[in-house]
Amino acid sequence: MPTALHPLWRVLTLLPGELLYFVTVGTMPEKAREKLGLKWTTRDERLLRAFGFAVSYGVSALPERLRYFPIAYQARKAARERSKLVGMLEHRPM
C-alpha cells in the first residue's frame, strides 16, 4: 500500500478494529479479563448482548445462499434434493 494511503487505512480500520476488540474482550471468560486487567462493565455486557441479538436477527434474515459458505449451501441443497427423491420413490405407484 502506498505510504500516502496509510492515514486513510488507519481511519477505515478503526471501527472494525474497535468492534473486534469489544467482542473479543466481551466473549472472554470473566477470570481471563480479570487476569489481563481488562475493564468490562454491565453496560458493556448489555451492548454485547444487543449486538449479538442484532447479528443473529440479521443473519436469519439473509437468504440461505448468503447465510452459509458455498460448500455448506451446496451440501444442504443436495440433502434436500436427496430427501425429496427418497420421498418420491417411497410414494410411487407400484
Side-chain angles (χ1 to χ4, degrees), residues 27-40:
T27 56
M28 253 183 215
E30 187 177 343
K31 288 186 177 192
R33 284 194 301 258
E34 288 172 4
K35 284 184 178 183
L36 294 171
L38 300 171
K39 184 183 76 158
W40 190 255

Side-chain angles (χ1 to χ4, degrees), residues 8-18:
L8 177 62
W9 180 251
R10 274 190 226 111
V11 170
L12 291 175
T13 59
L14 184 63
L15 185 60
E18 299 245 344

Side-chain angles (χ1 to χ4, degrees), residues 4 12 17 21 54 63 80 83 85 87 92:
L12 291 175
Y21 175 81
R80 276 194 306 274
S83 176
L85 178 62
R92 71 176 185 248

Side-chain angles (χ1 to χ4, degrees), residues 36-53:
L36 294 171
L38 300 171
K39 184 183 76 158
W40 190 255
T41 65
T42 55
R43 180 179 180 275
D44 292 334
E45 186 66 29
R46 285 192 307 271
L47 283 172
L48 181 64
R49 289 182 185 274
F51 177 71
F53 176 78

Side-chain angles (χ1 to χ4, degrees), residues 37-79:
L38 300 171
K39 184 183 76 158
W40 190 255
T41 65
T42 55
R43 180 179 180 275
D44 292 334
E45 186 66 29
R46 285 192 307 271
L47 283 172
L48 181 64
R49 289 182 185 274
F51 177 71
F53 176 78
V55 168
S56 173
Y57 180 77
V59 168
S60 66
L62 290 172
E64 187 179 29
R65 66 183 175 78
L66 296 176
R67 196 178 319 153
Y68 295 97
F69 283 110
I71 193 168
Y73 172 69
Q74 293 301 326
R76 290 174 59 87
K77 186 176 171 185

Side-chain angles (χ1 to χ4, degrees), residues 80-92:
R80 276 194 306 274
E81 290 170 359
R82 196 171 23 258
S83 176
K84 185 178 174 183
L85 178 62
V86 167
M88 289 172 60
L89 292 174
E90 287 176 355
H91 295 92
R92 71 176 185 248

